[in-house]
Amino acid sequence: MGKAAKVLDNLKKDLPYENEINFSKTKRVFDNSKVESHSAIIPTYLMPKSLTTDEEIVYNSIKNRFIMQFMPVAEYEETIITTKVNHSDIKGIFLSKGKVQLIEGWKKVEKIESKDTFLPNVNINDIVNIVDYNMTSHVTKPPKHHTEKTLLRVMETCGKGHEDENSEEMMAAVLSGFSIGTPATRAETIKKLKDVGYITSQNKNLICTELGKKIVETFPVKQLFDLEFTGRLEKTLSDIEKQKFSKENFINLIVDFTTKSVNTIKGDKDIILNEVSKEKREIEVLGKCPVCGHGIIEGTKGFGCSNWKNGCKFVIWKNDKFLSTMKKKPTKTMVKTLLKNGVVQVKGLTSKKGNKFDANLRYEKNPDNDYFSWKMEFINTPQNQKSNV
Ligand SMILES: [Zn+2]
């Protein structure tokens, strides 16, 4: 705390609002009971010398945040002005809602532009002049798409009071643990939804995909889509931290909820959400295994028997030594023909001398063990004779 005071003394020198900065040890600034896994970043008393533009932006933002805490609280009045036009043809009254700033306080530091409408200071029964007027018509629009920024905001508060970034209600929500994840994990959650394909981004907007819509419409455990429900779980976790709720009770609640949910999902009818990806995953059978008759499928290192779990060892290696001396790798087509006919004609093999030739290849079981080896038969083609293998 002594260190923070010294830093502040250094930083406030020559600022136009220097005399409004006062070091204080109030609980609003230093609250050890709220220290959790993510601590605050504050500047040190070393003054930076040569910062790049980007570094300066980051440094100033940290510095300003630090200074703001020791400035007076900004104060304003929530105001509604009711105006009646003094003309018999114009009926009704006009309402102007907005704020009247009383003390600028910490907002001076960054001249924070508020989206609030500031109203002039008027008194009841004041008579004012109409300077200008015009009529506009409006059509209501559906709410805008979320951007990553606005979605993070909603996650922070579980949908509570997100209209006003600095509202007490929102701060209370964040501080009481009523929020999804931590600052470090929220962005990761959004990335996961993108990776799975439930959402996608268009420019800055986050759009729900068809797959995302389907899962929301058909998934039977509706609580998992309920912000309030998730918020309550997170709140309980933070209550456990504060020893207001017992770990055992929470685990019981979760086990109970999970068991019920899994049973609901099991009892629900099967709905195919994404047929395309299912087709993709379907494995192509290239032919019958000459040993056991099961299907041969392509793996990363070779074409092998799908019955390998039961011990069938049949495999055609992709980096087979015999073939690679002739600069050949087994292809899917080659394997298919070989399995069907027991022999395959391979074109464009390379001899030791570097000549190209064709040959018939067989893949036969060794008489003395369970492994297979390639057998080659030359074909008497004009090309082969010419090249003199
Ligand atoms: Zn087999």
Side-chain angles (χ1 to χ4, degrees):
M1 229 183 258
K3 202 175 131 200
K6 197 175 157 195
V7 171
L8 191 67
D9 269 345
N10 261 359
L11 294 177
K12 73 177 186 184
K13 261 173 220 151
D14 301 326
L15 288 174
Y17 39 84
E18 184 183 339
N19 54 7
E20 283 183 61
I21 304 172
N22 284 307
F23 183 76
S24 70
K25 297 180 180 180
T26 57
K27 214 179 168 192
R28 189 167 68 89
V29 184
F30 298 101
D31 188 351
N32 281 335
S33 71
K34 298 262 169 71
V35 175
E36 285 165 21
S37 42
H38 302 281
S39 45
I41 304 172
I42 66 162
T44 67
Y45 48 81
L46 284 175
M47 289 296 169
K49 277 177 191 149
S50 52
L51 295 181
T52 65
T53 321
D54 284 351
E55 285 167 349
E56 203 180 321
I57 293 170
V58 175
Y59 178 76
N60 281 338
S61 132
I62 295 169
K63 185 189 75 182
N64 289 342
R65 260 303 154 101
F66 178 69
I67 292 176
M68 284 174 193
Q69 300 182 82
F70 303 101
M71 303 264 301
V73 175
E75 281 178 32
Y76 52 81
E77 269 175 2
E78 205 77 62
T79 312
I80 298 173
I81 301 176
T82 314
T83 316
K84 170 85 184 83
V85 178
N86 208 356
H87 193 291
S88 53
D89 284 353
I90 303 168
K91 298 211 160 57
I93 51 169
F94 296 85
L95 294 179
S96 326
K97 282 186 193 175
K99 289 172 175 175
V100 175
Q101 179 103 55
L102 301 177
I103 298 169
E104 202 180 358
W106 59 270
K107 291 196 174 195
K108 261 185 203 168
V109 179
E110 276 182 350
K111 284 269 163 235
I112 292 174
E113 277 181 41
S114 164
K115 283 175 198 153
D116 301 330
T117 317
F118 284 99
L119 296 176
N121 223 332
V122 291
N123 294 310
I124 295 173
N125 292 332
D126 274 2
I127 293 177
V128 292
N129 297 321
I130 297 171
V131 179
D132 190 18
Y133 67 91
N134 66 332
M135 245 164 68
T136 55
S137 61
H138 297 273
V139 181
T140 53
K141 283 184 212 144
K144 281 182 193 159
H145 286 296
H146 269 301
T147 63
E148 220 156 283
K149 195 182 162 199
T150 62
L151 188 57
L152 283 172
R153 175 70 55 191
V154 175
M155 289 168 82
E156 238 171 275
T157 59
C158 274
K160 284 182 180 293
H162 61 278
E163 288 100 10
D164 183 0
E165 300 205 349
N166 299 307
S167 76
E168 292 282 311
E169 199 186 348
M170 180 189 133
M171 286 315 290
V174 174
L175 290 175
S176 64
F178 221 109
S179 87
I180 300 177
T182 70
T185 58
R186 273 176 220 128
E188 186 60 31
T189 307
I190 297 179
K191 188 183 173 290
K192 223 173 262 173
L193 289 176
K194 275 194 203 167
D195 290 346
V196 178
Y198 291 153
I199 58 172
T200 176
S201 44
Q202 265 172 27
N203 303 321
K204 274 187 172 178
N205 294 333
L206 296 173
I207 316 278
C208 189
T209 62
E210 277 307 308
L211 181 66
K213 283 179 200 163
K214 273 193 207 164
I215 189 109
V216 174
E217 281 164 13
T218 56
F219 194 72
V221 186
K222 295 296 175 205
Q223 283 107 312
L224 290 178
F225 296 113
D226 181 4
L227 272 178
E228 290 263 341
F229 179 79
T230 314
R232 275 202 304 276
L233 288 185
E234 293 276 356
K235 166 92 169 73
T236 315
L237 283 179
S238 114
D239 283 349
I240 294 173
E241 228 170 286
K242 290 167 193 148
Q243 298 184 337
K244 282 191 209 161
F245 199 85
S246 88
K247 195 176 92 183
E248 291 70 30
N249 283 344
F250 183 71
I251 290 175
N252 286 340
L253 278 175
I254 292 294
V255 170
D256 191 47
F257 173 72
T258 313
T259 317
K260 275 185 193 151
S261 303
V262 170
N263 283 332
T264 311
I265 295 166
K266 272 160 100 180
D268 205 49
K269 55 185 185 298
D270 288 340
I271 296 161
I272 297 164
L273 285 180
N274 198 347
E275 276 181 295
V276 183
S277 73
K278 200 186 161 204
E279 268 167 33
K280 264 189 206 160
R281 254 183 270 125
E282 214 164 78
I283 303 154
E284 188 187 358
V285 173
L286 306 172
K288 265 188 186 177
C289 172
V291 180
C292 71
H294 280 80
I296 299 294
I297 52 173
E298 183 175 358
T300 44
K301 288 184 172 175
F303 303 88
C305 180
S306 56
N307 195 26
W308 60 273
K309 275 183 190 161
N310 294 321
C312 183
K313 290 191 179 82
F314 182 84
V315 62
I316 298 170
W317 299 108
K318 286 183 178 171
N319 62 350
D320 184 88
K321 266 188 193 157
F322 177 76
L323 292 181
S324 63
T325 55
M326 297 181 294
K327 303 206 171 123
K328 249 307 147 191
K329 272 193 170 185
T331 62
K332 230 156 76 172
T333 331
M334 250 174 84
V335 173
K336 272 187 191 170
T337 315
L338 181 73
L339 292 171
K340 199 177 160 203
N341 306 331
V343 62
V344 58
Q345 189 186 345
V346 181
K347 290 181 176 169
L349 295 161
T350 311
S351 75
K352 277 177 191 161
K353 288 179 183 169
N355 297 319
K356 295 276 179 204
F357 69 101
D358 304 342
N360 281 333
L361 293 180
R362 291 172 192 278
Y363 196 59
E364 288 174 351
K365 190 190 163 299
N366 299 336
D368 46 349
N369 62 31
D370 284 343
Y371 297 100
F372 278 67
S373 312
W374 289 100
K375 300 278 175 327
M376 187 161 66
E377 240 169 56
F378 293 107
I379 310 166
N380 272 336
T381 61
Q383 197 206 347
N384 281 349
Q385 282 162 356
K386 223 190 311 163
S387 57
N388 189 19
V389 185

